[in-house]
Amino acid sequence: MFSCRGSTTVSVAVIALVLLGLPLTEPYRDGKFGARVVGRIRERRLERIQQRQRALIASNEAYNDYSMDYRGDETRSASDNGTDYDMNLTTSAEELRRPPAIPPALLEALKPSSRRSMFEGKIVFRFYHGGNLTKQTTLNDNDRLLNGTECSPDERFALIVHGWRENCYEVPWVLELRENLRHHRGGCVACMDYSSFSSGGYGGLVGVFRDIRDVLLHFLLQLQYEGIQFERTYVFGFSFGAQLSLDVGNRIGGQELEAIDTCDMAGPGFDSDRAFKQMDFRNAAKNVQCIHTSIDKGTKFPNKCHQNWRMGQCGLRQAAAGPPPLGSHGLCPVFYNLAFKYQFLAQPKPPECLS
């Protein structure tokens, strides 16, 4: 009786294993099992890294002691049992290497804040590669910035920062500059679209300058953490966007960025600020070039960059100015785009132009 029960139990178990084994063998036969394991390992590894980063940011602890185990749970249990799930991954050595230390400025920019989260969720970054839009994202999206962009960390990188009442997708000078950068510079091009905040009154925009600046700083430092090289990074800003670009360049400091070019940096809301009057932008990048075309919307302090170009009548107004948006101020990015095709030769400073 006992032996019969034992034999019956064995038979049922054997049948169950055979039936369960049939579907389990299909992934092995189709070669899908290895890909699934590798995918899960990578997903778990990324989750663990992100969790560790959030914990570090919340506690503001130093990143130099970052020595966690990058293996996913599946990899650890498999190696402990003597089973090899490495699948001969060619990128395993690179993926398992210790990441570079996060700069203190990035830790500061990433501190949790409901206000900062609101700005990071509404400011959109549009990536272009080969002339095509490859990705739109915000800093609140749970993904690496370069994922899906077709941009490689070892490529040249360019960033466009528009001005008040502008955006990245329908302003003519932005579209033309994007194409000029693709043709003459190559690599990856991105545009920071903060039109959710720039479409209203100018006074309100000036009031949130620091919030938008912090998003731009976070964006650039996150790109650096993902492998983008600052020595191959170029930034262009117009008007309010010029002030954003230069301030962020100064905060990064050390002339780390390759170059910053600006067009008629905004004066209203900045010229009256004591700190701005004393500020020098030559430390914001290895080369900082500032073009001035107006006195009513541009700054009254034009000597803050390595090259300070004063267009037209001493940089105060332009003879070709028309109604907005192509007044003396709005003509600046038009001139800049034309300089990709035509030479603008420097002339000695006329006597009537003050230093």
mmCIF file of all heavy atoms in Angstrom, residues 312-351:
data_model
loop_
_atom_site.group_PDB
_atom_site.id
_atom_site.type_symbol
_atom_site.label_atom_id
_atom_site.label_comp_id
_atom_site.label_asym_id
_atom_site.label_seq_id
_atom_site.Cartn_x
_atom_site.Cartn_y
_atom_site.Cartn_z
ATOM 1 N N GLY A 312 26.402 97.033 -36.170
ATOM 2 C CA GLY A 312 25.697 98.248 -36.570
ATOM 3 C C GLY A 312 26.246 99.489 -35.900
ATOM 4 O O GLY A 312 27.463 99.710 -35.864
ATOM 5 N N GLN A 313 25.366 100.275 -35.307
ATOM 6 C CA GLN A 313 25.744 101.535 -34.665
ATOM 7 C C GLN A 313 26.171 101.268 -33.216
ATOM 8 O O GLN A 313 25.378 101.367 -32.282
ATOM 9 C CB GLN A 313 24.567 102.512 -34.721
ATOM 10 C CG GLN A 313 24.128 102.828 -36.144
ATOM 11 C CD GLN A 313 22.863 103.663 -36.188
ATOM 12 O OE1 GLN A 313 22.457 104.272 -35.199
ATOM 13 N NE2 GLN A 313 22.226 103.715 -37.353
ATOM 14 N N CYS A 314 27.437 100.877 -33.071
ATOM 15 C CA CYS A 314 28.057 100.651 -31.746
ATOM 16 C C CYS A 314 27.356 99.569 -30.937
ATOM 17 O O CYS A 314 27.442 99.559 -29.705
ATOM 18 C CB CYS A 314 28.083 101.949 -30.933
ATOM 19 S SG CYS A 314 28.840 103.338 -31.799
ATOM 20 N N GLY A 315 26.636 98.682 -31.615
ATOM 21 C CA GLY A 315 25.909 97.641 -30.897
ATOM 22 C C GLY A 315 24.642 98.141 -30.233
ATOM 23 O O GLY A 315 23.998 97.391 -29.491
ATOM 24 N N LEU A 316 24.254 99.398 -30.505
ATOM 25 C CA LEU A 316 23.086 99.992 -29.862
ATOM 26 C C LEU A 316 21.824 99.823 -30.697
ATOM 27 O O LEU A 316 20.730 99.659 -30.146
ATOM 28 C CB LEU A 316 23.326 101.483 -29.603
ATOM 29 C CG LEU A 316 24.594 101.836 -28.808
ATOM 30 C CD1 LEU A 316 24.730 103.354 -28.669
ATOM 31 C CD2 LEU A 316 24.570 101.165 -27.446
ATOM 32 N N ARG A 317 21.971 99.891 -32.006
ATOM 33 C CA ARG A 317 20.811 99.750 -32.908
ATOM 34 C C ARG A 317 21.322 99.364 -34.289
ATOM 35 O O ARG A 317 22.512 99.529 -34.602
ATOM 36 C CB ARG A 317 19.986 101.042 -32.964
ATOM 37 C CG ARG A 317 20.755 102.244 -33.453
ATOM 38 C CD ARG A 317 19.980 103.534 -33.236
ATOM 39 N NE ARG A 317 19.710 103.762 -31.833
ATOM 40 C CZ ARG A 317 20.571 104.349 -30.994
ATOM 41 N NH1 ARG A 317 21.772 104.758 -31.439
ATOM 42 N NH2 ARG A 317 20.262 104.564 -29.755
ATOM 43 N N GLN A 318 20.387 98.841 -35.106
ATOM 44 C CA GLN A 318 20.742 98.362 -36.443
ATOM 45 C C GLN A 318 19.967 99.134 -37.504
ATOM 46 O O GLN A 318 18.750 99.338 -37.377
ATOM 47 C CB GLN A 318 20.438 96.864 -36.577
ATOM 48 C CG GLN A 318 21.073 96.007 -35.496
ATOM 49 C CD GLN A 318 22.575 96.191 -35.412
ATOM 50 O OE1 GLN A 318 23.273 96.128 -36.421
ATOM 51 N NE2 GLN A 318 23.073 96.420 -34.202
ATOM 52 N N ALA A 319 20.673 99.563 -38.540
ATOM 53 C CA ALA A 319 20.029 100.333 -39.609
ATOM 54 C C ALA A 319 18.972 99.510 -40.326
ATOM 55 O O ALA A 319 18.003 100.060 -40.864
ATOM 56 C CB ALA A 319 21.092 100.819 -40.598
ATOM 57 N N ALA A 320 19.134 98.192 -40.348
ATOM 58 C CA ALA A 320 18.180 97.319 -41.066
ATOM 59 C C ALA A 320 17.003 96.908 -40.196
ATOM 60 O O ALA A 320 16.173 96.105 -40.620
ATOM 61 C CB ALA A 320 18.912 96.073 -41.556
ATOM 62 N N ALA A 321 16.907 97.453 -38.991
ATOM 63 C CA ALA A 321 15.862 97.029 -38.057
ATOM 64 C C ALA A 321 14.475 97.363 -38.586
ATOM 65 O O ALA A 321 14.247 98.426 -39.175
ATOM 66 C CB ALA A 321 16.078 97.673 -36.694
ATOM 67 N N GLY A 322 13.553 96.448 -38.375
ATOM 68 C CA GLY A 322 12.156 96.641 -38.736
ATOM 69 C C GLY A 322 11.290 96.426 -37.509
ATOM 70 O O GLY A 322 11.770 96.463 -36.379
ATOM 71 N N PRO A 323 10.018 96.165 -37.714
ATOM 72 C CA PRO A 323 9.149 95.885 -36.566
ATOM 73 C C PRO A 323 9.496 94.528 -35.953
ATOM 74 O O PRO A 323 10.049 93.656 -36.636
ATOM 75 C CB PRO A 323 7.741 95.887 -37.184
ATOM 76 C CG PRO A 323 7.952 95.575 -38.630
ATOM 77 C CD PRO A 323 9.277 96.172 -38.991
ATOM 78 N N PRO A 324 9.194 94.321 -34.664
ATOM 79 C CA PRO A 324 9.435 93.020 -34.037
ATOM 80 C C PRO A 324 8.721 91.907 -34.819
ATOM 81 O O PRO A 324 7.658 92.149 -35.398
ATOM 82 C CB PRO A 324 8.837 93.187 -32.645
ATOM 83 C CG PRO A 324 8.882 94.678 -32.403
ATOM 84 C CD PRO A 324 8.632 95.301 -33.754
ATOM 85 N N PRO A 325 9.315 90.728 -34.907
ATOM 86 C CA PRO A 325 10.479 90.284 -34.134
ATOM 87 C C PRO A 325 11.829 90.580 -34.782
ATOM 88 O O PRO A 325 12.843 90.061 -34.315
ATOM 89 C CB PRO A 325 10.255 88.778 -34.076
ATOM 90 C CG PRO A 325 9.595 88.456 -35.370
ATOM 91 C CD PRO A 325 8.695 89.621 -35.672
ATOM 92 N N LEU A 326 11.839 91.388 -35.846
ATOM 93 C CA LEU A 326 13.100 91.671 -36.529
ATOM 94 C C LEU A 326 13.552 93.105 -36.288
ATOM 95 O O LEU A 326 13.987 93.806 -37.199
ATOM 96 C CB LEU A 326 12.965 91.385 -38.028
ATOM 97 C CG LEU A 326 12.754 89.915 -38.393
ATOM 98 C CD1 LEU A 326 12.607 89.741 -39.895
ATOM 99 C CD2 LEU A 326 13.907 89.062 -37.862
ATOM 100 N N GLY A 327 13.442 93.542 -35.024
ATOM 101 C CA GLY A 327 14.019 94.814 -34.640
ATOM 102 C C GLY A 327 15.512 94.644 -34.410
ATOM 103 O O GLY A 327 16.099 93.609 -34.744
ATOM 104 N N SER A 328 16.128 95.638 -33.824
ATOM 105 C CA SER A 328 17.580 95.563 -33.587
ATOM 106 C C SER A 328 17.926 94.336 -32.739
ATOM 107 O O SER A 328 18.939 93.664 -32.966
ATOM 108 C CB SER A 328 18.063 96.835 -32.885
ATOM 109 O OG SER A 328 17.941 97.944 -33.755
ATOM 110 N N HIS A 329 17.096 94.028 -31.771
ATOM 111 C CA HIS A 329 17.330 92.877 -30.892
ATOM 112 C C HIS A 329 17.140 91.566 -31.648
ATOM 113 O O HIS A 329 18.003 90.677 -31.612
ATOM 114 C CB HIS A 329 16.369 92.958 -29.707
ATOM 115 C CG HIS A 329 16.567 91.894 -28.675
ATOM 116 N ND1 HIS A 329 17.734 91.751 -27.959
ATOM 117 C CD2 HIS A 329 15.724 90.921 -28.213
ATOM 118 C CE1 HIS A 329 17.612 90.753 -27.094
ATOM 119 N NE2 HIS A 329 16.405 90.222 -27.239
ATOM 120 N N GLY A 330 16.043 91.433 -32.351
ATOM 121 C CA GLY A 330 15.719 90.183 -33.041
ATOM 122 C C GLY A 330 16.605 89.878 -34.234
ATOM 123 O O GLY A 330 16.659 88.724 -34.683
ATOM 124 N N LEU A 331 17.315 90.893 -34.751
ATOM 125 C CA LEU A 331 18.201 90.654 -35.888
ATOM 126 C C LEU A 331 19.477 89.911 -35.492
ATOM 127 O O LEU A 331 20.168 89.353 -36.349
ATOM 128 C CB LEU A 331 18.585 91.995 -36.547
ATOM 129 C CG LEU A 331 17.545 92.612 -37.481
ATOM 130 C CD1 LEU A 331 18.020 93.980 -37.969
ATOM 131 C CD2 LEU A 331 17.255 91.699 -38.671
ATOM 132 N N CYS A 332 19.799 89.890 -34.211
ATOM 133 C CA CYS A 332 21.070 89.295 -33.786
ATOM 134 C C CYS A 332 21.206 87.834 -34.218
ATOM 135 O O CYS A 332 22.205 87.465 -34.847
ATOM 136 C CB CYS A 332 21.238 89.431 -32.280
ATOM 137 S SG CYS A 332 22.895 89.007 -31.717
ATOM 138 N N PRO A 333 20.254 86.934 -33.915
ATOM 139 C CA PRO A 333 20.420 85.548 -34.378
ATOM 140 C C PRO A 333 20.343 85.412 -35.895
ATOM 141 O O PRO A 333 20.874 84.452 -36.455
ATOM 142 C CB PRO A 333 19.275 84.796 -33.685
ATOM 143 C CG PRO A 333 18.284 85.841 -33.329
ATOM 144 C CD PRO A 333 19.047 87.087 -33.077
ATOM 145 N N VAL A 334 19.712 86.378 -36.567
ATOM 146 C CA VAL A 334 19.701 86.364 -38.031
ATOM 147 C C VAL A 334 21.116 86.611 -38.545
ATOM 148 O O VAL A 334 21.607 85.906 -39.441
ATOM 149 C CB VAL A 334 18.728 87.432 -38.576
ATOM 150 C CG1 VAL A 334 18.811 87.495 -40.102
ATOM 151 C CG2 VAL A 334 17.301 87.140 -38.131
ATOM 152 N N PHE A 335 21.791 87.627 -37.981
ATOM 153 C CA PHE A 335 23.186 87.876 -38.346
ATOM 154 C C PHE A 335 24.047 86.645 -38.069
ATOM 155 O O PHE A 335 24.921 86.285 -38.864
ATOM 156 C CB PHE A 335 23.741 89.075 -37.551
ATOM 157 C CG PHE A 335 23.105 90.395 -37.883
ATOM 158 C CD1 PHE A 335 23.145 91.455 -36.972
ATOM 159 C CD2 PHE A 335 22.481 90.614 -39.104
ATOM 160 C CE1 PHE A 335 22.579 92.676 -37.276
ATOM 161 C CE2 PHE A 335 21.908 91.831 -39.416
ATOM 162 C CZ PHE A 335 21.948 92.870 -38.493
ATOM 163 N N TYR A 336 23.827 86.029 -36.932
ATOM 164 C CA TYR A 336 24.643 84.884 -36.533
ATOM 165 C C TYR A 336 24.513 83.748 -37.547
ATOM 166 O O TYR A 336 25.509 83.131 -37.937
ATOM 167 C CB TYR A 336 24.221 84.411 -35.142
ATOM 168 C CG TYR A 336 25.126 83.354 -34.558
ATOM 169 C CD1 TYR A 336 26.296 83.713 -33.897
ATOM 170 C CD2 TYR A 336 24.830 82.001 -34.670
ATOM 171 C CE1 TYR A 336 27.143 82.765 -33.353
ATOM 172 C CE2 TYR A 336 25.668 81.043 -34.137
ATOM 173 C CZ TYR A 336 26.822 81.419 -33.478
ATOM 174 O OH TYR A 336 27.661 80.460 -32.952
ATOM 175 N N ASN A 337 23.300 83.474 -37.986
ATOM 176 C CA ASN A 337 23.103 82.425 -38.980
ATOM 177 C C ASN A 337 23.728 82.788 -40.320
ATOM 178 O O ASN A 337 24.288 81.928 -41.014
ATOM 179 C CB ASN A 337 21.602 82.139 -39.153
ATOM 180 C CG ASN A 337 21.078 81.141 -38.124
ATOM 181 O OD1 ASN A 337 21.691 80.129 -37.838
ATOM 182 N ND2 ASN A 337 19.921 81.453 -37.552
ATOM 183 N N LEU A 338 23.646 84.066 -40.692
ATOM 184 C CA LEU A 338 24.249 84.497 -41.954
ATOM 185 C C LEU A 338 25.765 84.349 -41.931
ATOM 186 O O LEU A 338 26.404 84.150 -42.970
ATOM 187 C CB LEU A 338 23.878 85.955 -42.244
ATOM 188 C CG LEU A 338 22.428 86.201 -42.672
ATOM 189 C CD1 LEU A 338 22.139 87.699 -42.739
ATOM 190 C CD2 LEU A 338 22.150 85.550 -44.025
ATOM 191 N N ALA A 339 26.364 84.432 -40.738
ATOM 192 C CA ALA A 339 27.822 84.326 -40.627
ATOM 193 C C ALA A 339 28.338 82.932 -40.989
ATOM 194 O O ALA A 339 29.532 82.760 -41.226
ATOM 195 C CB ALA A 339 28.265 84.686 -39.209
ATOM 196 N N PHE A 340 27.453 81.932 -41.057
ATOM 197 C CA PHE A 340 27.865 80.611 -41.517
ATOM 198 C C PHE A 340 28.120 80.619 -43.031
ATOM 199 O O PHE A 340 28.820 79.750 -43.544
ATOM 200 C CB PHE A 340 26.786 79.568 -41.195
ATOM 201 C CG PHE A 340 26.764 79.141 -39.754
ATOM 202 C CD1 PHE A 340 25.951 79.780 -38.845
ATOM 203 C CD2 PHE A 340 27.572 78.099 -39.311
ATOM 204 C CE1 PHE A 340 25.927 79.394 -37.506
ATOM 205 C CE2 PHE A 340 27.555 77.701 -37.986
ATOM 206 C CZ PHE A 340 26.733 78.346 -37.073
ATOM 207 N N LYS A 341 27.550 81.604 -43.735
ATOM 208 C CA LYS A 341 27.685 81.663 -45.193
ATOM 209 C C LYS A 341 28.515 82.862 -45.655
ATOM 210 O O LYS A 341 29.186 82.798 -46.691
ATOM 211 C CB LYS A 341 26.295 81.746 -45.835
ATOM 212 C CG LYS A 341 25.400 80.554 -45.527
ATOM 213 C CD LYS A 341 24.018 80.741 -46.151
ATOM 214 C CE LYS A 341 23.101 79.573 -45.814
ATOM 215 N NZ LYS A 341 21.737 79.762 -46.361
ATOM 216 N N TYR A 342 28.454 83.953 -44.906
ATOM 217 C CA TYR A 342 29.123 85.174 -45.329
ATOM 218 C C TYR A 342 30.068 85.662 -44.237
ATOM 219 O O TYR A 342 29.819 85.470 -43.047
ATOM 220 C CB TYR A 342 28.104 86.276 -45.645
ATOM 221 C CG TYR A 342 27.046 85.851 -46.629
ATOM 222 C CD1 TYR A 342 25.766 85.482 -46.193
ATOM 223 C CD2 TYR A 342 27.316 85.796 -47.997
ATOM 224 C CE1 TYR A 342 24.788 85.087 -47.095
ATOM 225 C CE2 TYR A 342 26.336 85.404 -48.902
ATOM 226 C CZ TYR A 342 25.087 85.045 -48.450
ATOM 227 O OH TYR A 342 24.128 84.642 -49.339
ATOM 228 N N GLN A 343 31.138 86.323 -44.676
ATOM 229 C CA GLN A 343 32.097 86.864 -43.726
ATOM 230 C C GLN A 343 31.631 88.203 -43.175
ATOM 231 O O GLN A 343 31.208 89.079 -43.935
ATOM 232 C CB GLN A 343 33.465 87.031 -44.395
ATOM 233 C CG GLN A 343 34.203 85.730 -44.654
ATOM 234 C CD GLN A 343 35.620 85.975 -45.123
ATOM 235 O OE1 GLN A 343 35.957 87.077 -45.563
ATOM 236 N NE2 GLN A 343 36.460 84.954 -45.049
ATOM 237 N N PHE A 344 31.712 88.355 -41.883
ATOM 238 C CA PHE A 344 31.466 89.637 -41.227
ATOM 239 C C PHE A 344 32.823 90.130 -40.728
ATOM 240 O O PHE A 344 33.338 89.663 -39.709
ATOM 241 C CB PHE A 344 30.487 89.472 -40.052
ATOM 242 C CG PHE A 344 29.053 89.329 -40.469
ATOM 243 C CD1 PHE A 344 28.615 88.189 -41.137
ATOM 244 C CD2 PHE A 344 28.133 90.335 -40.203
ATOM 245 C CE1 PHE A 344 27.297 88.057 -41.525
ATOM 246 C CE2 PHE A 344 26.810 90.211 -40.586
ATOM 247 C CZ PHE A 344 26.381 89.071 -41.258
ATOM 248 N N LEU A 345 33.431 91.040 -41.465
ATOM 249 C CA LEU A 345 34.778 91.496 -41.145
ATOM 250 C C LEU A 345 34.743 92.559 -40.049
ATOM 251 O O LEU A 345 33.941 93.507 -40.100
ATOM 252 C CB LEU A 345 35.456 92.055 -42.398
ATOM 253 C CG LEU A 345 35.587 91.062 -43.572
ATOM 254 C CD1 LEU A 345 36.234 91.746 -44.775
ATOM 255 C CD2 LEU A 345 36.380 89.837 -43.156
ATOM 256 N N ALA A 346 35.624 92.392 -39.065
ATOM 257 C CA ALA A 346 35.702 93.360 -37.966
ATOM 258 C C ALA A 346 36.297 94.672 -38.452
ATOM 259 O O ALA A 346 37.192 94.694 -39.305
ATOM 260 C CB ALA A 346 36.538 92.786 -36.828
ATOM 261 N N GLN A 347 35.795 95.755 -37.912
ATOM 262 C CA GLN A 347 36.288 97.090 -38.229
ATOM 263 C C GLN A 347 36.794 97.762 -36.953
ATOM 264 O O GLN A 347 36.333 97.446 -35.852
ATOM 265 C CB GLN A 347 35.161 97.942 -38.841
ATOM 266 C CG GLN A 347 34.574 97.374 -40.118
ATOM 267 C CD GLN A 347 35.559 97.415 -41.268
ATOM 268 O OE1 GLN A 347 36.426 98.290 -41.318
ATOM 269 N NE2 GLN A 347 35.436 96.482 -42.200
ATOM 270 N N PRO A 348 37.749 98.669 -37.076
ATOM 271 C CA PRO A 348 38.195 99.404 -35.884
ATOM 272 C C PRO A 348 37.024 100.124 -35.229
ATOM 273 O O PRO A 348 36.088 100.578 -35.900
ATOM 274 C CB PRO A 348 39.221 100.398 -36.438
ATOM 275 C CG PRO A 348 39.658 99.810 -37.737
ATOM 276 C CD PRO A 348 38.463 99.083 -38.292
ATOM 277 N N LYS A 349 37.087 100.213 -33.917
ATOM 278 C CA LYS A 349 35.988 100.845 -33.183
ATOM 279 C C LYS A 349 35.900 102.327 -33.536
ATOM 280 O O LYS A 349 36.888 103.071 -33.406
ATOM 281 C CB LYS A 349 36.209 100.669 -31.677
ATOM 282 C CG LYS A 349 35.053 101.199 -30.839
ATOM 283 C CD LYS A 349 35.278 100.942 -29.352
ATOM 284 C CE LYS A 349 36.456 101.751 -28.848
ATOM 285 N NZ LYS A 349 36.635 101.580 -27.386
ATOM 286 N N PRO A 350 34.731 102.776 -34.000
ATOM 287 C CA PRO A 350 34.577 104.200 -34.328
ATOM 288 C C PRO A 350 34.752 105.077 -33.086
ATOM 289 O O PRO A 350 34.476 104.633 -31.960
ATOM 290 C CB PRO A 350 33.139 104.288 -34.856
ATOM 291 C CG PRO A 350 32.800 102.891 -35.260
ATOM 292 C CD PRO A 350 33.536 102.002 -34.317
ATOM 293 N N PRO A 351 35.200 106.281 -33.255
ATOM 294 C CA PRO A 351 35.431 107.179 -32.100
ATOM 295 C C PRO A 351 34.163 107.422 -31.283
ATOM 296 O O PRO A 351 34.232 107.623 -30.075
ATOM 297 C CB PRO A 351 35.934 108.476 -32.745
ATOM 298 C CG PRO A 351 36.385 108.095 -34.120
ATOM 299 C CD PRO A 351 35.578 106.907 -34.518
#
